Amino acid sequence: MKFKLVKKPPVSGIKSILTTLLSIFIALLISGIFLAFADVNPISAYKDILIESVGSVYGITETLVKTTPLIFCGLGVAVAFRMQLWNIGAEGQLYMGAFGASLVALHLNTDSHFIMISLMFISAVFFGGLWALIPGALKAIYNVNETIVTLLMNYIAILWVDFLIYGAWKDPKGFNFPISAEFTSAARLNEYFDSRLHSGFFLALLCALLVFIIIEKTVWGYEIKVIGSNPKAAMYAGINIKKNIILVMFISGALSAIAGFSELAGVQHRLQHAISPGYGYTAIIIAWLAKRSAFGVVIVSFLMGMLFVGSDSMQIYYQLPVAMVSVFQGLILFSLIVAEFFKEHKIVMVKE
Amino acid sequence: MISIIIDATIRAGTSILYATLGEIIIERSGIINLGIEGLMLIGALAGFYTTYTTESLILGVFAAVLVAGLAGLIHGILCTYFKGNQIVSGLALTMFGVGITAVLGKSMVGQTIVGFKRIEIPVLSKIPIIGNSLFNQDILVYLSIFLVFLISFFLYKTVWGLNLRTVGENPYAADVSGIDTYKYRLAATFVGSGLAGLGGAYLSLAYTPLWIENMTAGRGWIAVALVIFSSWSCKRALFGAYFFGGISAIQLRFQAMGTTISAHILQMLPYIFTIIVLIIATIKIEKGSSSQPESLGLVYDREDRK
């Protein structure tokens, strides 16, 4: 008896989703082994994640708070993926968005909520978009590997924010902590349901809808898809690939930058060192899992939001570092690759 | 002063050199491994933990190579047998490495070991100015330079090396001529990942004999960029790694001298220079002959054989 892998027609619909869910389940099983190594009972840990994240109204709003930046970054990465652009710099673009928003919030003197928030938003989009435009232009003009450049630029963006909060923007009343001054109430997004859930969440849903319409329903969205799936055909069809690379990278960075804006205006109300516990990196998984669909991004972001809320409680109950989330995510990606493979292959036994 | 800077350059560049050599071997087989950052962390922790518990630096080195090599094999298997997307799989490896070392390494934070000692080479180390910085280093520095030449020799002067390069250039042709492409790719991933792990262990066993969460600080990504800069050649990787090492050394030197430039801005320099170097290297590659392996990053499926 011997085992052999043979190709089969790709599975579709429900079967495909079930395979994906099964792979996530297997990733959780393997993560459980590592949890056990860290002296944590995996079953009770998973139960805690579930209860903390969706077991109460408070939990659900907290999950939605974490879902918000994930939707923005996930959309950003997904838009770039459409064109086979590997923008893995969402984390840095988020930080540059946060920088742009703070630049306005800390220096503009107005009581008008509308003016303040609008300018913060525009500034965030500008700086985050520009940050992604650099690797985009390098890719378009010189064909420089965008994966590595976007990634290296994350480190620079984070150091840039550090530079400001340890230096010029340090709050004189901050007891020497590396934090900026607190934003005025004009620079804060409205909160709802007596919780931390802020209007950024609804903006995220709106952005998802917009991205969906642009990608699926417009000629331009179609062009991007063609470039992504067959660049040669796109060239013959007269689509300007270089221009589109730069434009798509700008939009991609701008979306991630809105995450920085909404985190600061909606939740943190000041610039500080750890704005993001890795939302930008998680966005890569979200875009991949969601198969680049805007609707899928919203769903997967919610699942990842649960993971972040759960990890917060695991940090408190079990003293596990936030990095446990990365372990989950890495393993989920590994098992997804295997799952994708088995959607197109099956094992058969052959007699020798 | 010059002596101190050369010394610091070599020490800061060595971990990158190991990682770059590792990535060159892997990419020569046609696989891109973006998991280097994670593998370096895994190596750094495995090496530190082993040395901490056994008090043997040699065992620490072996553990780093072995554990990182095995972790890299996950990537290798996914990219060969499971035909996975190499970029996604590599990123997953980095995420996994960053996470698992933070979780499992928590108890190691703040522990101390005695790191590798410098070995003074007689006579040569007495050469004025450069002698003490070049010939009074720890064994891992000497080993890394030896490996540059060994791997170069292996790739260009041995049958195995030729086979490996063929697999990276044209796996279909390699397969037809009886070379087991998957085995070569797996072996390259194992060895290359092990070297990346050794690069990480250099940090935790010699450079700063400590374990700190995320202590590689992006060196793995710089190594991936340096592979392009060095156009997949080991000897050029040596210069690339020391170039980076030089910039970090000068940067640290500035900080130590109490300059008014912010430490955060100085810390950006290595990343900025790596990007600039990458741009220059890419423009050169685009213009003329590229030594990038033809099949780099592509899935090889025997059933698609042409």
Side-chain angles (χ1 to χ4, degrees):
Chain A
M1 285 296 220
K2 252 179 93 178
F3 295 102
K4 210 184 149 209
L5 290 163
V6 285
K7 272 199 176 161
K8 64 175 183 188
V11 294
S12 57
I14 296 288
K15 250 189 169 173
S16 164
I17 294 172
L18 280 179
T19 315
T20 305
L21 288 178
L22 180 69
S23 75
I24 294 177
F25 179 73
I26 291 171
L28 289 177
L29 270 184
I30 303 172
S31 310
I33 299 172
F34 289 110
L35 281 173
F37 263 112
D39 285 331
V40 174
N41 180 345
I43 296 170
S44 58
Y46 290 148
K47 220 170 84 189
D48 286 341
I49 291 182
L50 211 59
I51 292 170
E52 290 289 325
S53 60
V54 288
S56 63
V57 176
Y58 172 79
I60 291 173
T61 57
E62 277 302 295
T63 302
L64 291 179
V65 168
K66 307 263 180 203
T67 305
T68 305
L70 291 172
I71 293 178
F72 287 123
C73 294
L75 289 172
V77 177
V79 165
F81 275 10
R82 278 259 156 185
M83 260 183 73
Q84 302 287 338
L85 282 172
W86 292 91
N87 174 15
I88 49 178
E91 186 82 356
Q93 289 141 21
L94 181 154
Y95 272 81
M96 288 316 274
F99 156 70
S102 309
L103 185 70
V104 172
L106 295 172
H107 296 96
L108 182 72
N109 208 348
T110 173
D111 287 335
S112 161
H113 178 69
F114 178 75
I115 295 176
M116 183 63 114
I117 290 293
S118 314
L119 287 178
M120 281 169 74
F121 178 85
I122 292 167
S123 171
V125 163
F126 175 75
F127 283 102
L130 215 60
W131 198 244
L133 191 130
I134 299 170
L138 288 172
K139 169 81 179 180
I141 302 168
Y142 299 116
N143 200 20
V144 180
N145 186 317
E146 79 281 8
T147 321
I148 302 170
V149 177
T150 49
L151 206 279
L152 288 170
M153 285 175 75
N154 288 341
Y155 291 94
I156 301 174
I158 293 168
L159 282 166
W160 172 243
V161 166
D162 280 350
F163 164 68
L164 292 170
I165 55 178
Y166 279 92
W169 288 7
K170 192 168 175 177
D171 183 8
K173 286 173 272 178
F175 302 102
N176 221 13
F177 280 115
I179 46 175
S180 81
E182 254 194 296
F183 294 176
T184 60
S185 55
R188 296 179 183 201
L189 293 172
N190 299 326
E191 289 172 353
Y192 303 95
F193 309 122
D194 230 1
S195 71
R196 297 205 302 162
L197 185 65
H198 52 89
S199 42
F201 173 68
F202 305 103
L203 182 66
L205 294 182
L206 184 71
C207 279
L209 187 67
L210 276 174
V211 168
F212 171 78
I213 292 170
I214 292 171
I215 292 288
E216 304 290 346
K217 305 288 172 200
T218 67
V219 177
W220 184 58
Y222 183 71
E223 280 185 11
I224 293 177
K225 213 167 161 179
V226 174
I227 298 175
S229 53
N230 194 343
K232 273 210 179 108
M235 225 166 65
Y236 292 132
I239 301 172
N240 189 335
I241 298 181
K242 288 188 176 181
K243 196 187 85 189
N244 273 316
I245 289 179
I246 295 175
L247 195 59
V248 164
M249 279 299 273
F250 182 87
I251 294 173
S252 172
L255 281 164
S256 301
I258 303 175
F261 154 79
S262 97
E263 272 303 282
L264 259 53
V267 184
Q268 304 180 9
H269 309 308
R270 61 174 10 138
L271 195 63
Q272 50 189 340
H273 175 68
I275 305 167
S276 155
Y279 293 136
Y281 298 109
T282 306
I284 302 161
I285 302 177
I286 293 173
W288 188 251
L289 256 172
K291 300 222 181 292
R292 297 156 235 185
S293 106
F295 180 66
V297 166
V298 175
I299 304 286
V300 181
S301 295
F302 183 78
L303 291 176
M304 290 293 160
M306 285 172 62
L307 202 55
F308 274 105
V309 171
S311 85
D312 278 355
S313 57
M314 297 223 288
Q315 208 178 351
I316 298 162
Y317 298 155
Y318 305 103
Q319 279 82 47
L320 274 180
V322 195
M324 191 63 210
V325 175
S326 310
V327 178
F328 283 119
Q329 293 177 335
L331 291 171
I332 287 175
L333 278 179
F334 284 145
S335 50
L336 260 181
I337 289 174
V338 178
E340 291 297 316
F341 177 78
F342 279 112
K343 282 178 190 172
E344 288 179 23
H345 295 78
K346 60 181 174 188
I347 304 174
V348 289
M349 275 191 284
V350 281
K351 287 199 180 116
E352 275 182 274
Chain B
M1 181 73 186
I2 294 172
S3 177
I4 293 171
I5 287 187
I6 294 175
D7 178 63
T9 296
I10 292 173
R11 292 179 65 77
T14 297
S15 80
I16 311 258
L17 179 58
Y18 278 117
T20 312
L21 290 175
E23 182 74 5
I24 287 176
I25 294 178
I26 301 173
E27 291 199 6
R28 278 286 180 190
S29 81
I31 288 182
I32 290 181
N33 185 357
L34 297 183
I36 296 294
E37 179 79 5
L39 291 169
M40 285 179 82
L41 283 167
I42 290 174
L45 180 64
F48 187 84
Y49 179 80
T50 307
T51 301
Y52 178 78
T53 45
T54 65
E55 290 182 2
S56 157
L57 286 163
I58 302 298
L59 282 180
V61 165
F62 277 113
V65 174
L66 188 68
V67 177
L70 289 176
L73 263 190
I74 302 173
H75 178 66
I77 290 168
L78 289 178
C79 294
T80 51
Y81 293 109
F82 290 101
K83 301 169 181 42
N85 181 306
Q86 299 184 2
I87 296 181
V88 175
S89 169
L91 288 173
L93 189 54
T94 288
M95 285 179 185
F96 176 74
V98 169
I100 201 69
T101 51
V103 173
L104 298 181
K106 241 189 81 184
S107 58
M108 286 290 111
V109 176
Q111 306 293 354
T112 49
I113 54 162
V114 180
F116 275 102
K117 290 262 178 342
R118 286 170 189 261
I119 301 168
E120 199 175 335
I121 295 180
V123 188
L124 289 175
S125 61
K126 294 287 176 276
I127 301 170
I129 304 176
I130 56 164
N132 197 46
S133 45
L134 290 183
F135 302 104
N136 186 11
Q137 295 286 0
D138 57 69
I139 181 104
L140 288 182
V141 171
Y142 300 132
L143 176 67
S144 69
I145 297 166
F146 172 69
L147 280 178
V148 169
F149 295 98
L150 183 72
I151 295 169
S152 242
F153 177 81
F154 167 81
L155 283 174
Y156 294 98
K157 305 280 182 215
T158 67
V159 180
W160 284 0
L162 175 68
N163 288 351
L164 181 72
R165 286 188 293 130
T166 313
V167 168
E169 294 291 339
N170 190 340
Y172 297 95
D175 203 348
V176 170
S177 55
I179 301 168
D180 190 329
T181 54
Y182 284 180
K183 266 191 196 138
Y184 270 92
R185 288 191 166 181
L186 287 178
T189 316
F190 178 76
V191 174
S193 303
L195 280 178
L198 183 52
Y202 181 76
L203 295 173
S204 66
L205 297 181
Y207 193 59
T208 48
L210 285 171
W211 164 253
I212 307 162
E213 199 182 315
N214 253 327
M215 67 188 298
T216 49
R219 287 180 177 87
W221 294 103
I222 289 171
V224 175
L226 286 183
V227 173
I228 299 173
F229 163 77
S230 56
S231 44
W232 293 265
S233 131
C234 299
K235 282 167 194 160
R236 289 177 114 202
L238 183 77
F239 292 107
Y242 287 165
F243 174 75
F244 168 86
I247 289 170
S248 356
I250 290 169
Q251 176 261 116
L252 281 173
R253 194 85 210 131
F254 264 119
Q255 285 189 43
M257 284 175 359
T259 159
T260 49
I261 308 169
S262 150
H264 297 111
I265 298 293
L266 288 171
Q267 280 166 27
M268 287 179 196
L269 292 180
Y271 307 108
I272 294 173
F273 273 97
T274 307
I275 292 174
I276 294 172
V277 159
L278 185 63
I279 297 168
I280 296 170
T282 310
I283 293 173
K284 266 193 177 162
I285 288 173
E286 292 288 309
K287 268 190 184 159
S289 59
S290 160
S291 36
Q292 174 170 349
E294 282 288 324
S295 301
L296 186 62
L298 303 178
V299 168
Y300 173 62
D301 191 342
R302 213 175 174 172
E303 289 169 40
D304 298 340
R305 195 161 60 187
K306 284 162 235 169

